[in-house]
Structures are given as structure tokens and as C-alpha cells.
């Protein structure tokens, strides 16, 4: 189960460069909010998910920051790539949640 202090491993990719990271959950309100930051890896990430019920369903906001080190710092100049990756992540999450909801209604 996810909760305050939970750590998990993730491997991301920026411009084809694989980036192994370890995340730690630093703030957690079940069903409402989750904030975390990386505790290892070549980049320093922090991020937050906020979940809110709205009349049409559920609104999920994802916010984050990244600080890259070493050669990866050059990729920091390509913020548009990160924004597009975030957009795709949110579209995938929406699709999966809508599929799950449709299956539960059957």
C-alpha cells in the first residue's frame, strides 16, 4: 500500500536516455493528494497529484519540477519535451480510468 514514506523505483526516459530513480512519498492524503520527490538518481524530481471530484467525474492535477545534473542538464533546455510527456501521461491515465469505469458499469 502507498502511504507516507513509501519508496518505489521508476525508470524514465528523456531523449532516449534511461534514468533510474527512487521516489519517496512525502505527503499523503488518501483519495485527495500525494506528493513525492526523488531520493536517488541523476535528476532531482518533485511532484504532486491532486484528485478532486467534479460534476462530470474526477479531476486529476499533476504538477512537478525537475533539476537535471551532468549531461542531462542539456535536456533541461527542452522543457517542451517534458510538457508533452506529461500530457501523454495524463491522457493515458484518463483513458485507463474511463475504461475501468465503463467495465464496472457493465
Amino acid at each position: 500500500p502507498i502511504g507516507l514514506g513509501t519508496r518505489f523505483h521508476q525508470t524514465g526516459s528523456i531523449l532516449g536516455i534511461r534514468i533510474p530513480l527512487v521516489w519517496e512519498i512525502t505527503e499523503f492524503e488518501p483519495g485527495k493528494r500525494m506528493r513525492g520527490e526523488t531520493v536517488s538518481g541523476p535528476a532531482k524530481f518533485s511532484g504532486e497529484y491532486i484528485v478532486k471530484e467534479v460534476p462530470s467525474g474526477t479531476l486529476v492535477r499533476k504538477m512537478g519540477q525537475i533539476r537535471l545534473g551532468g549531461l542531462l542538464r542539456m535536456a533541461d533546455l527542452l522543457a517542451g519535451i517534458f510538457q508533452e510527456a506529461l500530457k501523454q501521461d495524463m491522457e493515458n491515465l484518463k483513458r485507463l480510468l474511463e475504461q475501468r469505469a465503463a467495465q464496472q458499469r457493465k
Side-chain angles (χ1 to χ4, degrees), residues 14 17-19 42-43 68-77 82:
I14 299 173
I17 301 169
R18 295 177 57 81
I19 303 173
L68 300 171
L71 293 176
L72 292 174
R73 184 172 292 259
M74 294 183 305
D76 198 24
L77 301 174
F82 297 110

Side-chain angles (χ1 to χ4, degrees), residues 62-97:
K62 180 180 180 182
M63 299 170 284
Q65 294 180 328
I66 180 175
R67 287 187 309 245
L68 300 171
L71 293 176
L72 292 174
R73 184 172 292 259
M74 294 183 305
D76 198 24
L77 301 174
L78 305 173
I81 291 172
F82 297 110
Q83 289 290 6
E84 184 59 31
L86 176 60
K87 181 181 173 187
Q88 289 176 5
D89 286 348
M90 292 293 98
E91 288 172 358
N92 286 337
L93 177 60
K94 181 178 188 252
R95 179 181 50 77
L96 291 169
L97 290 172

